[in-house]
């Protein structure tokens, strides 16, 4: 393996899912200007997430239904006129 391939500047960072408010503390090389006070009383950099395992449909089991029938009908109506 190559030497010095991985960064050595890992630090504790809070990741927060903005869709449901779930937050967790982990080690990362990501940096942020925002900070948040964690449960242990210390302040850590805050990385905001759009989606995490607590809000993703695959992990929650709440799949988003795709209206394929509506899309097909729209397609047929649009191209039916051109015949």
């Amino acid at each position: 393996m190559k030497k010095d391939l991985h960064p050595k500047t890992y630090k504790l960072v809070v990741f927060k899912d903005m869709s449901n408010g779930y937050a967790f503390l982990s080690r990362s090389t990501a940096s942020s200007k925002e900070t948040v006070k964690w449960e242990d009383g210390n302040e850590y950099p805050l990385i905001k997430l759009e989606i995490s395992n607590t809000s993703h449909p695959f992990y929650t089991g709440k799949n988003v239904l795709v209206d394929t029938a509506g899309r097909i009908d729209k397609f047929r109506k649009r191209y039916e006129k051109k015949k």
Side-chain angles (χ1 to χ4, degrees), residues 16-19 48-52 55:
K16 184 174 183 180
D17 186 343
M18 299 310 290
S19 64
K48 295 180 180 178
L49 303 173
E50 295 292 324
I51 195 164
S52 71
S55 62

Side-chain angles (χ1 to χ4, degrees), residues 39-50:
E39 299 163 354
D40 62 3
N42 295 327
E43 283 201 16
Y44 298 104
L46 174 66
I47 304 294
K48 295 180 180 178
L49 303 173
E50 295 292 324

